Amino acid sequence: MKKLAYLLLVTGFLLGAYAASLDVEAVDWTIFIIAAVAAVAGVIIAKRADSAMARSSSVLESNRNELNESIGNIVRDLGEMADGDSPRGGALRTLIDEKLRPDLRRFAEARGSMVHLYGLQIYADIMSEFAAGERYINRVWTSSADGYDAEAENYLLRAAGQFKDAQKQLASAVAG
């Protein structure tokens, strides 16, 4: 279905360009409108195919697992980093890049399924906490790079709190 959508889209654009280039003074509107309809139909079919794929039970279940596993890993890793004996400087930045970034990316890639699984309000609540935590992690990284280890430690604790809240909200949504 996706191939047909892309074929219609490409054909519509090429046919529209062809219709516009036939005559310098006038456009053959019949050909141009047919091309535009084909391109729009291609976009609509592609969007519907994407939507159907995003709502499929296998994708939703896979993304539910990704969400739970990645937020759990983030909370665990942040807890280990913020346990009072946290690394500093380059070691902290390396831990963030190697341990946290992959799970942050996994969670972000699967987040669209939260709307289908739990609703828009729960998605907004969880993503608000997640985004704040991610900003704090970025502040930890930059503070550490600038040599402000005390500030980095402070934001590390804040990030851990934000992600714990996001994890609790996600667990509540799963249970509810």
Side-chain angles (χ1 to χ4, degrees), residues 149-172:
D149 291 326
E151 183 178 343
E153 193 169 327
N154 181 31
Y155 281 109
L156 194 61
L157 294 171
R158 288 184 182 188
Q162 293 294 145
F163 284 108
K164 281 180 187 173
D165 289 344
Q167 184 183 36
K168 285 177 189 171
Q169 289 182 19
L170 184 60
S172 171

Side-chain angles (χ1 to χ4, degrees), residues 25-40:
E25 300 293 321
V27 173
D28 185 350
W29 289 105
T30 305
I31 296 173
F32 192 82
I33 290 173
I34 291 170
V37 168
V40 169

Side-chain angles (χ1 to χ4, degrees), residues 130-159:
F130 180 87
E134 193 171 28
R135 281 191 302 276
Y136 288 147
I137 287 173
N138 291 334
R139 284 188 180 179
V140 169
W141 199 97
T142 56
S143 298
S144 173
D146 293 339
Y148 299 111
D149 291 326
E151 183 178 343
E153 193 169 327
N154 181 31
Y155 281 109
L156 194 61
L157 294 171
R158 288 184 182 188

Side-chain angles (χ1 to χ4, degrees), residues 35 51 61 81 90 94 123 127 143 148 169 171:
S51 179
E61 189 57 36
M81 287 181 206
T94 300
Y123 168 83
M127 286 310 298
S143 298
Y148 299 111
Q169 289 182 19

